């Protein structure tokens, strides 16, 4: 099956989901100031999602923990979540680290799906660090643009070293959001009191934060 066919097929099946997913007008925000002198080595360790924003309004990434892992083939990001309060799941992506140290916070995540047509096997999404002090908070966002309907999708993670983020850190963490047009009032606070999964998945699952599989 050709890539075009595949895209059309996905598009036909997913007409509603494209419209539901990309809701913000125009392209992704440009000229965004990210964290300066980003130090990846200090980003290791557990990060709890303490607040999040998903521009499509979906709450699909509850009780999420992000953590970098080093493997012989590179550095990977493990992001877990709890679905419906019961199912513990995780997705793993490879981290694409910019060669230019000055642009260290312009990370990307890469998902590989061997079952997809060749040109769609590798999916890349931005995973840009807007701000972090490494010890308390980190603000990360991704943006996905659809040229077809000229709209974009944004997901913001306000990450915290503890499930609860202190107020000072929250203020610092949310400050850069205005650059990408996200109103901090629209952040959703994660409820960590209902994160006790009964079932654990051993294998990789599709992420819910980098949802749209093909660039259309
Ligand atoms: C990913 O992280 C979750 C916990 O956050 C853990 O249960 C799971 O085993 C990790 N996956 C891998 C492959 O390390
Ligand atoms: C995530 O949590 C919200 C609020 O508690 C709930 O409405 C939603 O169904 C949850 N989503 C999933 C996928 O568990």
């Amino acid at each position: 099956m050709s890539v075009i066919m595949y895209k059309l097929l996905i598009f036909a099946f997913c007409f509603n989901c494209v419209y539901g997913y990309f809701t913000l007008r125009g392209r992704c925000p440009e000229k965004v100031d990210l964290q300066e002198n980003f130090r990846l080595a200090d980003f290791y360790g557990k990060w709890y999602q303490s607040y999040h924003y998903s521009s499509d309004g979906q709450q699909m990434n509850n009780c999420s923990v992000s953590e970098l892992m080093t493997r012989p083939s590179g550095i990977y990001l493990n992001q877990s979540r709890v679905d419906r309060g019961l199912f513990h799941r995780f997705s793993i992506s490879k981290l694409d680290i910019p060669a230019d140290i000055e642009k260290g916070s312009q990370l990307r995540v890469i998902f590989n799906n061997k079952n997809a047509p060749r040109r769609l096997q590798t999916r890349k999404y931005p995973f840009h660090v807007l701000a972090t002090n490494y010890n308390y908070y980190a603000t990360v966002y991704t943006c996905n643009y659809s040229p077809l309907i000229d709209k974009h999708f944004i997901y913001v993670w306000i990450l915290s070293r503890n499930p609860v983020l202190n107020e000072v850190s929250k203020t610092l963490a949310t400050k850069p959001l205005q650059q990408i047009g996200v109103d901090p009032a629209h952040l959703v606070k994660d409820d960590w009191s209902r994160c006790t999964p009964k079932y654990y998945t051993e294998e990789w699952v599709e992420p819910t934060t980098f949802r749209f599989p093909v660039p259309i």
Side-chain angles (χ1 to χ4, degrees):
M1 191 164 45
S2 78
V3 170
I4 297 284
M5 279 277 291
Y6 185 79
K7 279 192 185 183
L8 281 175
L9 206 66
I10 298 253
F11 189 68
F13 273 124
C14 233
F15 192 72
N16 283 325
C17 66
V18 179
Y19 274 90
Y21 179 68
F22 298 103
T23 56
L24 306 172
R25 207 172 290 163
R27 291 178 171 273
C28 287
E30 280 168 26
K31 299 203 180 92
V32 178
D33 288 329
L34 301 176
Q35 173 65 45
E36 284 180 6
N37 308 318
F38 179 68
R39 301 188 305 273
L40 190 64
D42 294 339
F43 204 74
Y44 276 79
K46 268 201 171 111
W47 286 106
Y48 296 90
Q49 175 179 276
S50 59
Y51 294 83
H52 66 275
Y53 166 77
S54 186
S55 60
D56 64 358
Q58 292 221 45
Q59 310 303 323
M60 303 274 285
N61 193 44
N62 295 341
C63 310
S64 178
V65 174
S66 298
E67 191 168 7
L68 295 180
M69 317 184 295
T70 304
R71 285 179 174 174
S73 53
I75 298 174
Y76 291 79
L77 178 70
N78 176 2
Q79 295 191 296
S80 68
R81 63 176 198 262
V82 177
D83 284 348
R84 283 171 281 151
L86 285 176
F87 305 95
H88 183 272
R89 304 200 151 120
F90 66 86
S91 341
I92 293 186
S93 52
K94 188 168 189 204
L95 214 57
D96 181 26
I97 301 157
D100 182 353
I101 290 181
E102 304 256 299
K103 295 187 177 145
S105 44
Q106 265 180 46
L107 298 167
R108 287 196 300 177
V109 290
I110 305 172
F111 292 94
N112 281 306
N113 178 1
K114 290 192 185 72
N115 300 321
R118 182 181 282 261
R119 266 187 57 200
L120 301 170
Q121 284 181 355
T122 305
R123 290 150 49 193
K124 291 185 185 171
Y125 302 89
F127 189 71
H128 289 180
V129 183
L130 277 166
T132 183
N133 68 354
Y134 309 97
N135 296 324
Y136 289 96
Y137 71 88
T139 308
V140 182
Y141 83 100
T142 190
C143 185
N144 201 188
Y145 173 68
S146 167
L148 192 71
I149 58 172
D150 192 30
K151 285 186 174 169
H152 65 282
F153 165 81
I154 283 185
Y155 191 94
V156 174
W157 293 259
I158 304 287
L159 300 173
S160 168
R161 289 297 191 186
N162 302 300
V164 178
L165 189 65
N166 68 61
E167 279 304 314
V168 176
S169 296
K170 193 196 165 194
T171 308
L172 294 169
T174 52
K175 218 176 190 172
L177 291 181
Q178 48 142 328
Q179 290 192 83
I180 54 167
V182 172
D183 181 348
H186 293 157
L187 290 172
V188 177
K189 188 173 205 265
D190 281 78
D191 177 3
W192 281 89
S193 67
R194 282 182 293 171
C195 301
T196 41
K198 280 201 169 65
Y199 308 102
Y200 283 80
T201 315
E202 285 307 314
E203 70 279 6
W204 191 96
V205 294
E206 273 289 312
T208 55
T209 45
F210 307 97
R211 232 173 24 253
F212 213 71
V214 282
I216 56 174

